[in-house]
Amino acid sequence: MHAQDLDLARRIVRGDRAAFETLFEREFPRLYRFVLLRVRGDTDAAQDLCQQTLERAMRRLDSYRG
């Protein structure tokens, strides 16, 4: 999966919207469930934290090495 993840990251950095959507659809549900447990079911807080996490990850994606 490592090579696929690196390819996906490179495509996102180049501005490939479909690659971003692939990443989002694959990772958001798992991230959301993880965060939702930590904020004790507060759905608004979970959504905010997930959005912040994904934004931070996207800003740093060009340095992803796999």
Side-chain angles (χ1 to χ4, degrees):
M1 185 82 110
H2 167 71
Q4 290 174 331
D5 291 341
L6 190 54
D7 179 59
L8 192 61
R10 288 178 179 152
R11 289 175 38 216
I12 292 169
V13 168
R14 289 192 307 259
D16 184 333
R17 178 118 178 121
F20 173 78
E21 290 173 6
T22 297
L23 176 75
F24 183 85
E25 290 172 4
R26 186 176 76 189
E27 300 301 330
F28 184 82
R30 184 175 13 180
L31 176 62
Y32 182 77
R33 287 189 305 271
F34 176 82
V35 172
L36 189 60
L37 287 172
R38 269 96 190 137
V39 295
R40 298 186 178 146
D42 184 338
T43 58
D44 290 334
Q47 290 176 354
D48 288 345
L49 287 168
C50 286
Q51 182 176 353
Q52 291 170 14
T53 301
L54 289 172
E55 286 175 2
R56 206 172 290 153
M58 291 300 105
R59 282 195 300 269
R60 296 179 178 147
L61 197 56
D62 61 340
S63 65
Y64 179 70
R65 302 288 179 245

